[in-house]
Amino acid sequence: MAPNQKGNVDIVAVAKAAKVSPSTVSRTFNHPDLVSPATRKKINRAVQKLGYVRNRAAQMMHGKRSGTIGLVVPTINHAIFAEVIQAFSDAIDQAGFTLLLASHGYDLDREYEMVRKLMEHRVDGVALIGLEHSAATSRLIAQQETPAMAIWNYEEESELPCVGADNRLAGRMAAEHLLELGHRDIGLIFPDTRGNDRAQYRLNSVLEALREKGVSVPEHRMSEAPYSVAQAKQAAIRLFSGGARPSALLCGNDVIAQGALYGAQKCGLRVPGDVSIIGIGDFKGSADIEPGLTTIRIPAETIGSLAGQRFTEYITSDTREQFRLCCGLERVVRGTTCPAA
Amino acid sequence: MAPNQKGNVDIVAVAKAAKVSPSTVSRTFNHPDLVSPATRKKINRAVQKLGYVRNRAAQMMHGKRSGTIGLVVPTINHAIFAEVIQAFSDAIDQAGFTLLLASHGYDLDREYEMVRKLMEHRVDGVALIGLEHSAATSRLIAQQETPAMAIWNYEEESELPCVGADNRLAGRMAAEHLLELGHRDIGLIFPDTRGNDRAQYRLNSVLEALREKGVSVPEHRMSEAPYSVAQAKQAAIRLFSGGARPSALLCGNDVIAQGALYGAQKCGLRVPGDVSIIGIGDFKGSADIEPGLTTIRIPAETIGSLAGQRFTEYITSDTREQFRLCCGLERVVRGTTCPAA
DNA sequence: AAGATTTATGAAAACGTTTGCAATACTATT
DNA sequence: AATAGTATTGCAAACGTTTTCATAAATCTT
């Protein structure tokens, strides 16, 4: 009665219904040109009628690709990663792949576990955020010979193929903008840099660029905030409340910058009149906030798209030539910075 | 030499190395109690040495679960969904499942394609956002007998098991807050409601609640904006620029409300003095913006977590009893609303 | 119209696991 | 010391596909 009496509609059920052999059904899917149009029609009708859905797991056992790509991110719930994930997902979808997603909360040991988990599912490739990973992770990837890539950071000598931006340059550009405007007393709010090479690179290069111009940042001008508007707001308020306040704030990313901006507004400070604020990232929304946030734009969407395209090419090609793509940065001057008084 | 000479380390390679049969190796993983401690140790050593990683696809062919759950969302790049995805992912991860993620951009036909794609991978279950889906999707789910659930909406008579909030109530609560404050001239900014039952329900119930109090919303007080701060800002500016402006704005979600707030600030309007603004959702950041956004809180994280927990239970239990969980809403009055003049 | 190609199909082995059943090696009982 | 259990292991079939090889049918040569 029911077209699908048992729920186990497989290729042989289809074959039976179409009165052909399983081989022919399989061929209809994989090499349609080898099957006569008439038979193909019969088979398609049977597929339709029975509601057959291919079983990729079974295909995979014949050396076929699983058609999945694993992506391991620190966190999903994060403007910038969400944007990258979306773009990456769309790009690999275009190439017929499906995304297996896992997050580790900035814990490199958990990252290893996640990569391992994905490999149990025999992903055709695994993409990681950033270039800093545990030795165990690298070993696992090498051992399994799973194609792997890094997203978000670019480095000339990177171990893994990568598509991303130069975070050191980003930090430098932010610092130089402030310096050019004449700021010398600069406050810094950055996230914890452990297990986060992006933040690490940015912070180091900011400090370096400032030092080159003879500007040093005393301890009490530095604050740490996790990736959260609320906490960054608090951190900024703390920086502002101690005696003399800095003339400018350089924030490790736009979320923190946004929090800092609210913090300043809360303290009754005019931005940029009383204090200039610059972020890094140019997240969705940074342009629209009032006043518009000055920042260093990292093209998240481009990075995600490019990464997805390039990675699927890499996986499906048999040559497997390494790739390293550097996406350009852009200084976006909006309303939160102005010359020092 | 190399511990893994060919890349094809399978259960029989391990068996060979440990000098036991493949069956015993398999048992060591699945029923360790049936294997003597000594043998287990030998096998574990071999696993370690060869770097064996289990192949879930092969297990799956024995009626075992694939250990994956599919989640299909309208978009990933969206504060509220990112939060749900993160919580859902964490919850199913706890239960040993891996997330297969796909997005459809509010296109119900694409949603069908995505569900189908996930089913080819034999996900153990598929979770969808919202209760409105194409007939083809429902048929597919029924036919394949794949466990399915809806996230984000709650409805007593829902076809699918669901975990979510009552979007109609959310709309009503927002409207009533404004009415209680004495507002009668109310502007509305909502996203396109096609393929988006959440927005649909909210809008209808808002209109209904207003009508009950004899308040109608003329055409020129209604504006449509996609899920984007920038465009909502423009929409708000349009609403404000025509002659007499409304005394309050009710926005379909917090992103729109945020855009509206910036729009008001841009127009030199004081919020809430000149215009009150209320959103729906209470997204991350809504609390921190200046002034804090008044909104109807929908507990995204709770919903995602609960959905993940409940769904994995559902999948792993053999009883398969339906579930429908309604997560409570909360009116969060912050700084963007005040009594009408 | 007979042989030589070409095209379309089927049979069976293979992929990496799990598991029911059978076989063997212990241990406890008398 | 023989018997009955029990704990441990191996064999082989099964899962749903793909693919190689062989066969059968259709088409082309001359």
Side-chain angles (χ1 to χ4, degrees), chain A residues 245-278:
Chain A
R245 59 162 189 278
S247 77
L249 230 50
L250 194 163
C251 302
N253 61 54
D254 274 22
V255 164
I256 292 180
Q258 194 178 335
L261 175 56
Y262 294 150
Q265 291 175 342
K266 183 92 181 177
C267 293
L269 266 33
R270 283 167 309 138
V271 176
D274 296 326
V275 61
S276 283
I277 296 180
I278 186 170

PDB file of all heavy atoms in Angstrom, chain A residues 245-278:
ATOM      1  N   ARG A 245      42.210  60.696  31.576  1.00  0.00           N
ATOM      2  CA  ARG A 245      41.831  59.616  30.661  1.00  0.00           C
ATOM      3  C   ARG A 245      42.632  59.720  29.370  1.00  0.00           C
ATOM      4  O   ARG A 245      43.113  60.795  29.016  1.00  0.00           O
ATOM      5  CB  ARG A 245      40.338  59.682  30.381  1.00  0.00           C
ATOM      6  CG  ARG A 245      39.906  60.965  29.771  1.00  0.00           C
ATOM      7  CD  ARG A 245      38.564  60.887  29.106  1.00  0.00           C
ATOM      8  NE  ARG A 245      38.395  62.135  28.377  1.00  0.00           N
ATOM      9  CZ  ARG A 245      37.982  63.265  28.929  1.00  0.00           C
ATOM     10  NH1 ARG A 245      37.658  63.301  30.192  1.00  0.00           N
ATOM     11  NH2 ARG A 245      37.890  64.348  28.189  1.00  0.00           N
ATOM     12  N   PRO A 246      42.772  58.605  28.681  1.00  0.00           N
ATOM     13  CA  PRO A 246      43.525  58.615  27.425  1.00  0.00           C
ATOM     14  C   PRO A 246      42.779  59.453  26.397  1.00  0.00           C
ATOM     15  O   PRO A 246      41.574  59.653  26.514  1.00  0.00           O
ATOM     16  CB  PRO A 246      43.563  57.147  27.009  1.00  0.00           C
ATOM     17  CG  PRO A 246      42.388  56.530  27.703  1.00  0.00           C
ATOM     18  CD  PRO A 246      42.220  57.267  28.981  1.00  0.00           C
ATOM     19  N   SER A 247      43.499  59.895  25.385  1.00  0.00           N
ATOM     20  CA  SER A 247      42.831  60.700  24.352  1.00  0.00           C
ATOM     21  C   SER A 247      42.250  59.804  23.266  1.00  0.00           C
ATOM     22  O   SER A 247      41.447  60.243  22.457  1.00  0.00           O
ATOM     23  CB  SER A 247      43.809  61.708  23.740  1.00  0.00           C
ATOM     24  OG  SER A 247      44.674  61.074  22.821  1.00  0.00           O
ATOM     25  N   ALA A 248      42.695  58.560  23.249  1.00  0.00           N
ATOM     26  CA  ALA A 248      42.154  57.638  22.252  1.00  0.00           C
ATOM     27  C   ALA A 248      42.174  56.214  22.780  1.00  0.00           C
ATOM     28  O   ALA A 248      42.964  55.860  23.656  1.00  0.00           O
ATOM     29  CB  ALA A 248      42.947  57.726  20.960  1.00  0.00           C
ATOM     30  N   LEU A 249      41.276  55.411  22.216  1.00  0.00           N
ATOM     31  CA  LEU A 249      41.160  54.002  22.611  1.00  0.00           C
ATOM     32  C   LEU A 249      41.312  53.162  21.350  1.00  0.00           C
ATOM     33  O   LEU A 249      40.638  53.418  20.355  1.00  0.00           O
ATOM     34  CB  LEU A 249      39.770  53.773  23.202  1.00  0.00           C
ATOM     35  CG  LEU A 249      39.647  53.062  24.534  1.00  0.00           C
ATOM     36  CD1 LEU A 249      40.586  53.697  25.545  1.00  0.00           C
ATOM     37  CD2 LEU A 249      38.212  53.126  25.023  1.00  0.00           C
ATOM     38  N   LEU A 250      42.193  52.179  21.434  1.00  0.00           N
ATOM     39  CA  LEU A 250      42.327  51.260  20.314  1.00  0.00           C
ATOM     40  C   LEU A 250      41.807  49.903  20.790  1.00  0.00           C
ATOM     41  O   LEU A 250      42.305  49.342  21.768  1.00  0.00           O
ATOM     42  CB  LEU A 250      43.791  51.173  19.884  1.00  0.00           C
ATOM     43  CG  LEU A 250      44.088  50.523  18.531  1.00  0.00           C
ATOM     44  CD1 LEU A 250      45.495  50.890  18.064  1.00  0.00           C
ATOM     45  CD2 LEU A 250      43.913  49.025  18.545  1.00  0.00           C
ATOM     46  N   CYS A 251      40.808  49.378  20.096  1.00  0.00           N
ATOM     47  CA  CYS A 251      40.165  48.145  20.563  1.00  0.00           C
ATOM     48  C   CYS A 251      40.489  46.964  19.646  1.00  0.00           C
ATOM     49  O   CYS A 251      40.564  47.115  18.426  1.00  0.00           O
ATOM     50  CB  CYS A 251      38.662  48.338  20.627  1.00  0.00           C
ATOM     51  SG  CYS A 251      38.190  49.686  21.710  1.00  0.00           S
ATOM     52  N   GLY A 252      40.658  45.814  20.251  1.00  0.00           N
ATOM     53  CA  GLY A 252      41.076  44.607  19.535  1.00  0.00           C
ATOM     54  C   GLY A 252      40.109  44.149  18.467  1.00  0.00           C
ATOM     55  O   GLY A 252      40.486  43.446  17.539  1.00  0.00           O
ATOM     56  N   ASN A 253      38.866  44.526  18.592  1.00  0.00           N
ATOM     57  CA  ASN A 253      37.902  44.242  17.533  1.00  0.00           C
ATOM     58  C   ASN A 253      36.709  45.187  17.662  1.00  0.00           C
ATOM     59  O   ASN A 253      36.600  45.931  18.629  1.00  0.00           O
ATOM     60  CB  ASN A 253      37.460  42.777  17.555  1.00  0.00           C
ATOM     61  CG  ASN A 253      36.784  42.407  18.859  1.00  0.00           C
ATOM     62  OD1 ASN A 253      35.823  43.047  19.283  1.00  0.00           O
ATOM     63  ND2 ASN A 253      37.298  41.373  19.524  1.00  0.00           N
ATOM     64  N   ASP A 254      35.836  45.126  16.709  1.00  0.00           N
ATOM     65  CA  ASP A 254      34.739  46.091  16.647  1.00  0.00           C
ATOM     66  C   ASP A 254      33.693  45.903  17.740  1.00  0.00           C
ATOM     67  O   ASP A 254      33.030  46.857  18.140  1.00  0.00           O
ATOM     68  CB  ASP A 254      34.036  46.013  15.287  1.00  0.00           C
ATOM     69  CG  ASP A 254      34.725  46.889  14.264  1.00  0.00           C
ATOM     70  OD1 ASP A 254      35.915  47.208  14.463  1.00  0.00           O
ATOM     71  OD2 ASP A 254      34.081  47.247  13.267  1.00  0.00           O
ATOM     72  N   VAL A 255      33.538  44.678  18.203  1.00  0.00           N
ATOM     73  CA  VAL A 255      32.567  44.462  19.269  1.00  0.00           C
ATOM     74  C   VAL A 255      33.032  45.189  20.518  1.00  0.00           C
ATOM     75  O   VAL A 255      32.265  45.872  21.188  1.00  0.00           O
ATOM     76  CB  VAL A 255      32.377  42.956  19.547  1.00  0.00           C
ATOM     77  CG1 VAL A 255      31.684  42.755  20.873  1.00  0.00           C
ATOM     78  CG2 VAL A 255      31.586  42.310  18.430  1.00  0.00           C
ATOM     79  N   ILE A 256      34.310  45.038  20.787  1.00  0.00           N
ATOM     80  CA  ILE A 256      34.869  45.734  21.940  1.00  0.00           C
ATOM     81  C   ILE A 256      34.774  47.247  21.729  1.00  0.00           C
ATOM     82  O   ILE A 256      34.422  48.001  22.643  1.00  0.00           O
ATOM     83  CB  ILE A 256      36.337  45.306  22.155  1.00  0.00           C
ATOM     84  CG1 ILE A 256      36.368  43.838  22.606  1.00  0.00           C
ATOM     85  CG2 ILE A 256      37.021  46.202  23.174  1.00  0.00           C
ATOM     86  CD1 ILE A 256      37.755  43.294  22.863  1.00  0.00           C
ATOM     87  N   ALA A 257      35.057  47.675  20.512  1.00  0.00           N
ATOM     88  CA  ALA A 257      34.989  49.108  20.215  1.00  0.00           C
ATOM     89  C   ALA A 257      33.573  49.639  20.429  1.00  0.00           C
ATOM     90  O   ALA A 257      33.371  50.731  20.958  1.00  0.00           O
ATOM     91  CB  ALA A 257      35.446  49.369  18.786  1.00  0.00           C
ATOM     92  N   GLN A 258      32.621  48.820  20.025  1.00  0.00           N
ATOM     93  CA  GLN A 258      31.224  49.223  20.203  1.00  0.00           C
ATOM     94  C   GLN A 258      30.913  49.379  21.689  1.00  0.00           C
ATOM     95  O   GLN A 258      30.310  50.375  22.112  1.00  0.00           O
ATOM     96  CB  GLN A 258      30.333  48.153  19.576  1.00  0.00           C
ATOM     97  CG  GLN A 258      28.894  48.578  19.387  1.00  0.00           C
ATOM     98  CD  GLN A 258      28.071  47.477  18.711  1.00  0.00           C
ATOM     99  OE1 GLN A 258      28.625  46.629  17.998  1.00  0.00           O
ATOM    100  NE2 GLN A 258      26.770  47.483  18.939  1.00  0.00           N
ATOM    101  N   GLY A 259      31.360  48.405  22.463  1.00  0.00           N
ATOM    102  CA  GLY A 259      31.167  48.486  23.907  1.00  0.00           C
ATOM    103  C   GLY A 259      31.839  49.720  24.469  1.00  0.00           C
ATOM    104  O   GLY A 259      31.282  50.430  25.311  1.00  0.00           O
ATOM    105  N   ALA A 260      33.036  49.997  23.987  1.00  0.00           N
ATOM    106  CA  ALA A 260      33.788  51.156  24.460  1.00  0.00           C
ATOM    107  C   ALA A 260      33.037  52.450  24.144  1.00  0.00           C
ATOM    108  O   ALA A 260      32.974  53.362  24.960  1.00  0.00           O
ATOM    109  CB  ALA A 260      35.170  51.174  23.822  1.00  0.00           C
ATOM    110  N   LEU A 261      32.455  52.468  22.965  1.00  0.00           N
ATOM    111  CA  LEU A 261      31.696  53.646  22.563  1.00  0.00           C
ATOM    112  C   LEU A 261      30.507  53.869  23.504  1.00  0.00           C
ATOM    113  O   LEU A 261      30.285  54.986  23.990  1.00  0.00           O
ATOM    114  CB  LEU A 261      31.211  53.471  21.119  1.00  0.00           C
ATOM    115  CG  LEU A 261      30.295  54.551  20.537  1.00  0.00           C
ATOM    116  CD1 LEU A 261      30.943  55.924  20.632  1.00  0.00           C
ATOM    117  CD2 LEU A 261      29.957  54.230  19.087  1.00  0.00           C
ATOM    118  N   TYR A 262      29.784  52.811  23.782  1.00  0.00           N
ATOM    119  CA  TYR A 262      28.667  52.947  24.717  1.00  0.00           C
ATOM    120  C   TYR A 262      29.177  53.371  26.091  1.00  0.00           C
ATOM    121  O   TYR A 262      28.553  54.184  26.771  1.00  0.00           O
ATOM    122  CB  TYR A 262      27.912  51.611  24.845  1.00  0.00           C
ATOM    123  CG  TYR A 262      27.209  51.178  23.577  1.00  0.00           C
ATOM    124  CD1 TYR A 262      27.042  49.822  23.298  1.00  0.00           C
ATOM    125  CD2 TYR A 262      26.693  52.098  22.673  1.00  0.00           C
ATOM    126  CE1 TYR A 262      26.389  49.407  22.144  1.00  0.00           C
ATOM    127  CE2 TYR A 262      26.055  51.690  21.521  1.00  0.00           C
ATOM    128  CZ  TYR A 262      25.898  50.343  21.255  1.00  0.00           C
ATOM    129  OH  TYR A 262      25.270  49.927  20.124  1.00  0.00           O
ATOM    130  N   GLY A 263      30.309  52.801  26.459  1.00  0.00           N
ATOM    131  CA  GLY A 263      30.896  53.153  27.751  1.00  0.00           C
ATOM    132  C   GLY A 263      31.183  54.650  27.820  1.00  0.00           C
ATOM    133  O   GLY A 263      30.894  55.310  28.822  1.00  0.00           O
ATOM    134  N   ALA A 264      31.757  55.162  26.755  1.00  0.00           N
ATOM    135  CA  ALA A 264      32.081  56.589  26.711  1.00  0.00           C
ATOM    136  C   ALA A 264      30.809  57.422  26.807  1.00  0.00           C
ATOM    137  O   ALA A 264      30.723  58.382  27.567  1.00  0.00           O
ATOM    138  CB  ALA A 264      32.834  56.910  25.421  1.00  0.00           C
ATOM    139  N   GLN A 265      29.801  56.988  26.037  1.00  0.00           N
ATOM    140  CA  GLN A 265      28.532  57.727  26.065  1.00  0.00           C
ATOM    141  C   GLN A 265      27.944  57.711  27.476  1.00  0.00           C
ATOM    142  O   GLN A 265      27.450  58.709  27.981  1.00  0.00           O
ATOM    143  CB  GLN A 265      27.550  57.116  25.060  1.00  0.00           C
ATOM    144  CG  GLN A 265      27.975  57.339  23.603  1.00  0.00           C
ATOM    145  CD  GLN A 265      27.080  56.645  22.590  1.00  0.00           C
ATOM    146  OE1 GLN A 265      26.329  55.733  22.947  1.00  0.00           O
ATOM    147  NE2 GLN A 265      27.172  57.057  21.325  1.00  0.00           N
ATOM    148  N   LYS A 266      28.061  56.571  28.086  1.00  0.00           N
ATOM    149  CA  LYS A 266      27.558  56.408  29.453  1.00  0.00           C
ATOM    150  C   LYS A 266      28.266  57.375  30.410  1.00  0.00           C
ATOM    151  O   LYS A 266      27.657  57.929  31.321  1.00  0.00           O
ATOM    152  CB  LYS A 266      27.802  54.961  29.908  1.00  0.00           C
ATOM    153  CG  LYS A 266      27.270  54.631  31.278  1.00  0.00           C
ATOM    154  CD  LYS A 266      25.880  54.084  31.159  1.00  0.00           C
ATOM    155  CE  LYS A 266      25.297  53.753  32.523  1.00  0.00           C
ATOM    156  NZ  LYS A 266      23.914  53.287  32.378  1.00  0.00           N
ATOM    157  N   CYS A 267      29.568  57.544  30.202  1.00  0.00           N
ATOM    158  CA  CYS A 267      30.346  58.431  31.063  1.00  0.00           C
ATOM    159  C   CYS A 267      30.154  59.911  30.693  1.00  0.00           C
ATOM    160  O   CYS A 267      30.834  60.785  31.222  1.00  0.00           O
ATOM    161  CB  CYS A 267      31.836  58.094  30.968  1.00  0.00           C
ATOM    162  SG  CYS A 267      32.257  56.484  31.642  1.00  0.00           S
ATOM    163  N   GLY A 268      29.301  60.135  29.718  1.00  0.00           N
ATOM    164  CA  GLY A 268      29.044  61.510  29.325  1.00  0.00           C
ATOM    165  C   GLY A 268      30.152  62.101  28.470  1.00  0.00           C
ATOM    166  O   GLY A 268      30.258  63.308  28.294  1.00  0.00           O
ATOM    167  N   LEU A 269      31.003  61.251  27.931  1.00  0.00           N
ATOM    168  CA  LEU A 269      32.093  61.738  27.080  1.00  0.00           C
ATOM    169  C   LEU A 269      31.594  61.882  25.650  1.00  0.00           C
ATOM    170  O   LEU A 269      30.800  61.072  25.176  1.00  0.00           O
ATOM    171  CB  LEU A 269      33.241  60.731  27.091  1.00  0.00           C
ATOM    172  CG  LEU A 269      34.380  60.918  28.084  1.00  0.00           C
ATOM    173  CD1 LEU A 269      33.899  61.535  29.386  1.00  0.00           C
ATOM    174  CD2 LEU A 269      35.059  59.580  28.349  1.00  0.00           C
ATOM    175  N   ARG A 270      32.090  62.895  24.972  1.00  0.00           N
ATOM    176  CA  ARG A 270      31.745  63.024  23.568  1.00  0.00           C
ATOM    177  C   ARG A 270      32.770  62.264  22.736  1.00  0.00           C
ATOM    178  O   ARG A 270      33.974  62.364  22.972  1.00  0.00           O
ATOM    179  CB  ARG A 270      31.722  64.500  23.158  1.00  0.00           C
ATOM    180  CG  ARG A 270      30.457  65.249  23.623  1.00  0.00           C
ATOM    181  CD  ARG A 270      30.653  66.740  23.465  1.00  0.00           C
ATOM    182  NE  ARG A 270      31.927  67.119  24.104  1.00  0.00           N
ATOM    183  CZ  ARG A 270      32.799  67.974  23.576  1.00  0.00           C
ATOM    184  NH1 ARG A 270      32.538  68.544  22.411  1.00  0.00           N
ATOM    185  NH2 ARG A 270      33.919  68.263  24.190  1.00  0.00           N
ATOM    186  N   VAL A 271      32.246  61.478  21.790  1.00  0.00           N
ATOM    187  CA  VAL A 271      33.121  60.758  20.874  1.00  0.00           C
ATOM    188  C   VAL A 271      32.894  61.352  19.487  1.00  0.00           C
ATOM    189  O   VAL A 271      31.742  61.427  19.050  1.00  0.00           O
ATOM    190  CB  VAL A 271      32.783  59.257  20.868  1.00  0.00           C
ATOM    191  CG1 VAL A 271      33.638  58.518  19.830  1.00  0.00           C
ATOM    192  CG2 VAL A 271      32.952  58.655  22.260  1.00  0.00           C
ATOM    193  N   PRO A 272      33.897  61.815  18.784  1.00  0.00           N
ATOM    194  CA  PRO A 272      35.306  61.706  19.141  1.00  0.00           C
ATOM    195  C   PRO A 272      35.877  62.915  19.885  1.00  0.00           C
ATOM    196  O   PRO A 272      37.069  62.902  20.184  1.00  0.00           O
ATOM    197  CB  PRO A 272      35.967  61.601  17.762  1.00  0.00           C
ATOM    198  CG  PRO A 272      35.108  62.460  16.890  1.00  0.00           C
ATOM    199  CD  PRO A 272      33.712  62.351  17.437  1.00  0.00           C
ATOM    200  N   GLY A 273      35.049  63.906  20.169  1.00  0.00           N
ATOM    201  CA  GLY A 273      35.572  65.121  20.792  1.00  0.00           C
ATOM    202  C   GLY A 273      36.449  64.863  22.012  1.00  0.00           C
ATOM    203  O   GLY A 273      37.605  65.275  22.066  1.00  0.00           O
ATOM    204  N   ASP A 274      35.923  64.143  22.988  1.00  0.00           N
ATOM    205  CA  ASP A 274      36.675  63.902  24.220  1.00  0.00           C
ATOM    206  C   ASP A 274      37.606  62.701  24.089  1.00  0.00           C
ATOM    207  O   ASP A 274      38.675  62.653  24.681  1.00  0.00           O
ATOM    208  CB  ASP A 274      35.710  63.662  25.383  1.00  0.00           C
ATOM    209  CG  ASP A 274      34.862  64.902  25.676  1.00  0.00           C
ATOM    210  OD1 ASP A 274      35.401  66.020  25.493  1.00  0.00           O
ATOM    211  OD2 ASP A 274      33.696  64.751  26.063  1.00  0.00           O
ATOM    212  N   VAL A 275      37.154  61.715  23.334  1.00  0.00           N
ATOM    213  CA  VAL A 275      37.991  60.544  23.171  1.00  0.00           C
ATOM    214  C   VAL A 275      37.723  59.918  21.799  1.00  0.00           C
ATOM    215  O   VAL A 275      36.578  59.841  21.361  1.00  0.00           O
ATOM    216  CB  VAL A 275      37.730  59.527  24.310  1.00  0.00           C
ATOM    217  CG1 VAL A 275      36.303  59.040  24.315  1.00  0.00           C
ATOM    218  CG2 VAL A 275      38.672  58.329  24.213  1.00  0.00           C
ATOM    219  N   SER A 276      38.804  59.535  21.129  1.00  0.00           N
ATOM    220  CA  SER A 276      38.677  58.860  19.838  1.00  0.00           C
ATOM    221  C   SER A 276      38.658  57.352  20.081  1.00  0.00           C
ATOM    222  O   SER A 276      39.295  56.858  21.011  1.00  0.00           O
ATOM    223  CB  SER A 276      39.854  59.200  18.922  1.00  0.00           C
ATOM    224  OG  SER A 276      39.692  60.483  18.377  1.00  0.00           O
ATOM    225  N   ILE A 277      37.925  56.648  19.239  1.00  0.00           N
ATOM    226  CA  ILE A 277      37.862  55.191  19.381  1.00  0.00           C
ATOM    227  C   ILE A 277      38.040  54.549  18.011  1.00  0.00           C
ATOM    228  O   ILE A 277      37.406  54.963  17.037  1.00  0.00           O
ATOM    229  CB  ILE A 277      36.512  54.750  19.979  1.00  0.00           C
ATOM    230  CG1 ILE A 277      36.357  55.303  21.401  1.00  0.00           C
ATOM    231  CG2 ILE A 277      36.393  53.225  19.987  1.00  0.00           C
ATOM    232  CD1 ILE A 277      35.051  54.929  22.080  1.00  0.00           C
ATOM    233  N   ILE A 278      38.901  53.549  17.952  1.00  0.00           N
ATOM    234  CA  ILE A 278      39.048  52.811  16.701  1.00  0.00           C
ATOM    235  C   ILE A 278      38.969  51.314  16.998  1.00  0.00           C
ATOM    236  O   ILE A 278      39.436  50.860  18.042  1.00  0.00           O
ATOM    237  CB  ILE A 278      40.374  53.156  15.974  1.00  0.00           C
ATOM    238  CG1 ILE A 278      40.422  52.464  14.599  1.00  0.00           C
ATOM    239  CG2 ILE A 278      41.588  52.756  16.808  1.00  0.00           C
ATOM    240  CD1 ILE A 278      41.559  52.929  13.714  1.00  0.00           C
TER     241      ILE A 278
END
